[in-house]
Amino acid sequence: MVRVLTYLLVIAVLAAGAVWLADRPGEVSVLWQGYRIETSVAIAAIGVILLAFLALVAWAVTRFVLGLPSAFSFASRARRRARGFEAVSRGMVAIGAGDPIAAGRHAHDARKFAADEPLTLLLEAQTAQLSGNRGQAEAAFKAMLDKPETRVLGLRGLFVEARRRGDMAAARAFADDAVRRSPSLAWANDALLDFHTSSGDWQAARTAVERRAALRLADKAEAKRQRAVLLAAEALEAKGREPEKALAAALEAVKLAPGLTPAAALAGRMLSERGDIKKAAKLLEAAWKQVSHPDIAAAYLDVRPGDSARDRLARAETLTRLRPADPEGVLALAGAAIHAQDFARARATLKPLLAGGASVRVCLLMAELEEAEHGAAGRVREWLARATRAPRDAAWVADGLVSDQWLPVSPISGRLDAFVWTVPPATLGRPTADLDDVLADLDDSAPLLEGRAETATPAEPVRDAAPAATVIEAAALAPAAPPPGPESRAEPKPEPKSEPKSEPKSEPKSEPVPAAAAEAPQAAGKPMTPARPAQVVFPVAHAPDDPGPEQATPADARGRFRIFS
């Protein structure tokens, strides 16, 4: 519509001009080189317009003739540029398809037709990575440093290659340079955070976390949690040499993340040691409301040094009131009842857990209860044998590693805040490391990390849970075969050579037996067939004068062993 109006306006102006000239007749006389030309004004105006048009046509023809060489050159460059971009596009597709031969051919064509394009250097680097030629890849990334538009890309490529070959000092230098040139780079900030945490520089790591939060590379909740984890790590490291600094860091960590178990347990114990019992109890109760954990329960039971077993039992009851029916609270209450010699209450407390399938810790508590109440070695061995086949209890798990102690950084992947308190899976698989090339590192044969977690099957327990471990055959923990009782006569008779010798039968005790315990074969009335030997891992930290697990009795096992089946 605008074009039509413009066209009509131009026609109207020309018509008005023609009418204006027609209404004002006149004559024009030109005398030049003895020639005299006389005409009207209208004809003279038309002549001037024609001369101007011819001059413009002549100028255009002259420019076209003079510009033919450069036009041919430009067309040639455009064709080469188009062929170069086509080669780059096909090369990237070949890299995505995992075809190094086609990628190399297209990279050669791209270098031939578009050598100065940044994408050509990237294609060459990716092709070299796909082919396993690390030297050529680094050369391509170094060439990117000479151009401002590709300098950061070259730094990332050199960072990836340096980390791949294990040169962490060079990788850190490249990440530092990238952050200086472009502070908002997510990969560079993440890399610096990983370097700080792996070296134990918690202060620098907190600075990196705050910078990531300020640049909105991480949300506020994540940054807050990471700051709490770093403060907890700093507190655990400084608790021996700088207790005041450790307490301040632990309290700040609890303020940022009330459910962070290591920080809450450490702050509660340190406040208890300083005599601030009320504040310690309040802090631990708040942490227990957030998450139930045996470390918090243990710190709460020990909040007042020198208390009697009855006082500890009363505090355990407080935990169960704060989180009713919580398994950790039940276990804490049962343990406190055993120490207070309230055996009936301990049995009643453990009964729901036994009915639902006793875990390892429940079996160990039952063994402790049997020894403390009856001193029956057979029942103790029976419960220890059950523990070898019981479901696992919760532990700190990260990247396939099961640990009894919390760590701020995973030793497998180097991730911050990787450990989670959960029940370990039956099979721990190898963690999958993220491939970190410039666009997509398709060479999965080169590991980014040196440490890996080995696959553990249910028959082969995880051995990474503690620094020291002793393997004991479960058959050694099985109850000894007692003399045959009335029930055993109804059973099929064993072979004569394997029949146990007769021994005097001891009178059974008159106290009631729990229903869960009655379901198991009794040591005094029914011979047990030895189960298939299975390996059990007992993490032990032996003192110089402490007897080894080979000489350990079931009583020694109480309270010192943690079994991971």
Side-chain angles (χ1 to χ4, degrees):
M1 185 65 184
V2 176
R3 288 173 129 188
V4 173
L5 293 176
T6 303
Y7 177 76
L8 294 176
L9 181 62
V10 171
I11 294 298
V13 170
L14 292 177
V19 171
W20 186 81
L21 288 176
D23 292 341
R24 293 168 177 78
E27 294 182 353
V28 176
S29 177
V30 178
L31 181 62
W32 185 64
Q33 296 290 328
Y35 293 97
R36 183 182 181 88
I37 302 174
E38 293 182 354
T39 183
S40 63
V41 175
I43 299 300
I46 293 173
V48 171
I49 293 174
L50 288 177
L51 286 176
F53 177 75
L54 291 176
L56 290 176
V57 170
W59 174 249
V61 171
T62 304
R63 285 189 62 186
F64 174 76
V65 172
L66 295 177
L68 280 177
S70 60
F72 286 134
S73 177
F74 177 79
S76 176
R77 289 197 304 270
R79 286 194 300 270
R80 291 175 63 87
R81 183 183 179 88
R83 294 182 63 181
F85 277 117
E86 182 180 4
V88 170
S89 177
R90 293 183 177 181
M92 288 300 180
V93 172
I95 289 175
D99 188 353
I101 298 177
R105 182 173 65 252
H106 293 308
H108 179 268
D109 293 342
R111 168 61 76 178
K112 179 180 179 181
F113 296 116
D116 296 333
E117 292 296 328
L119 286 178
T120 301
L121 294 175
L122 179 59
L123 176 61
E124 289 183 345
Q126 289 286 294
T127 302
Q129 287 181 330
L130 182 62
S131 304
N133 191 343
R134 302 300 173 191
Q136 185 178 351
E138 289 191 21
F141 288 128
K142 288 179 180 178
M144 294 181 187
L145 299 180
D146 298 333
K147 298 182 178 181
E149 62 270 20
T150 59
R151 185 171 291 121
V152 176
L153 179 60
L155 287 173
R156 185 178 186 186
L158 292 174
F159 163 79
V160 171
E161 293 301 323
R163 193 175 65 173
R164 186 186 302 279
R165 66 173 181 269
D167 190 355
M168 294 304 171
R172 183 168 183 171
F174 291 133
D176 280 329
D177 193 5
V179 169
R180 284 196 300 270
R181 295 180 184 277
S182 181
S184 61
L185 287 175
W187 68 267
N189 284 280
D190 293 343
L192 289 181
L193 177 60
D194 292 340
F195 284 128
H196 293 323
T197 55
S198 61
S199 62
D201 191 352
W202 312 121
Q203 181 63 41
R206 290 212 310 274
T207 303
V209 168
E210 292 169 358
R211 181 172 62 247
R212 291 175 71 247
L215 295 172
R216 296 184 180 179
L217 300 178
D219 55 24
K220 293 182 178 180
E222 180 185 0
K224 188 176 180 181
R225 172 75 181 186
Q226 288 179 343
R227 284 197 295 268
V229 170
L230 293 171
L231 286 168
E234 186 175 352
L236 290 172
E237 185 179 285
K239 67 178 180 179
R241 62 177 187 274
E242 296 179 277
E244 295 295 332
K245 179 181 177 181
L247 178 58
L251 290 175
E252 186 176 355
V254 171
K255 183 178 179 181
L256 292 173
L260 186 58
T261 300
L266 178 61
R269 290 191 178 278
M270 296 191 74
L271 288 172
S272 174
E273 293 173 359
R274 291 163 54 104
D276 198 346
I277 308 299
K278 185 176 180 181
K279 185 176 181 180
K282 184 178 179 181
L283 184 147
L284 292 170
E285 288 175 1
W288 180 262
K289 291 177 182 178
Q290 293 287 330
V291 57
S292 60
H293 194 277
D295 290 347
I296 297 178
Y300 187 71
L301 296 182
D302 298 335
V303 70
R304 182 180 288 107
D307 270 358
S308 65
R310 289 292 175 180
D311 294 333
R312 292 167 51 84
L313 179 59
R315 279 195 290 274
E317 292 173 350
T318 303
L319 293 180
T320 57
R321 286 195 299 269
L322 292 175
R323 293 179 69 97
D326 188 275
E328 291 296 339
V330 172
L331 290 174
L333 180 60
I338 293 173
H339 294 158
Q341 297 185 356
D342 191 350
F343 303 125
R345 182 167 189 180
R347 287 185 184 277
T349 302
L350 292 174
K351 186 176 180 179
L353 299 182
L354 293 172
S359 65
V360 175
R361 289 172 60 197
V362 174
C363 292
L364 293 179
L365 276 176
M366 284 302 300
E368 184 177 355
L369 175 60
E370 291 293 346
E371 185 196 11
E373 185 176 5
H374 303 301
R379 292 187 177 182
V380 172
R381 288 195 297 269
E382 178 186 336
W383 281 108
L384 291 178
R386 283 191 183 187
T388 64
R389 300 181 298 274
R392 296 182 178 185
D393 290 287
W396 292 110
V397 181
D399 300 321
L401 178 69
V402 180
S403 175
D404 277 348
Q405 295 181 351
W406 176 84
L407 296 174
V409 179
S410 170
I412 302 299
S413 62
R415 289 190 300 120
L416 179 65
D417 193 24
F419 278 92
V420 179
W421 182 257
T422 184
V423 177
T427 301
L428 296 176
R430 180 187 298 272
T432 302
D434 294 333
L435 299 178
D436 189 11
D437 268 345
V438 177
L439 288 182
D441 186 1
L442 301 175
D443 185 8
D444 55 2
S445 61
L448 294 180
L449 299 170
E450 297 180 2
R452 296 289 185 184
E454 296 299 331
T455 301
T457 62
E460 181 182 354
V462 180
R463 299 177 183 271
D464 302 89
T470 304
V471 178
I472 302 178
E473 295 296 332
L477 297 177
E487 297 179 1
S488 64
R489 294 192 185 96
E491 303 281 342
K493 293 183 179 180
E495 294 295 331
K497 60 177 69 178
S498 62
E499 184 175 357
K501 295 181 181 180
S502 298
E503 295 180 2
K505 183 176 179 181
S506 59
E507 290 295 328
K509 297 192 176 183
S510 59
E511 61 272 354
V513 180
E519 295 174 2
Q522 297 300 321
K526 189 175 181 180
M528 288 188 61
T529 302
R532 179 177 59 83
Q535 287 187 339
V536 186
V537 176
F538 293 99
V540 182
H542 293 294
D545 56 347
D546 188 15
E550 293 80 1
Q551 296 81 23
T553 64
D556 296 326
R558 173 169 51 87
R560 297 196 299 130
F561 296 147
R562 187 166 189 178
I563 304 176
F564 288 92
S565 57

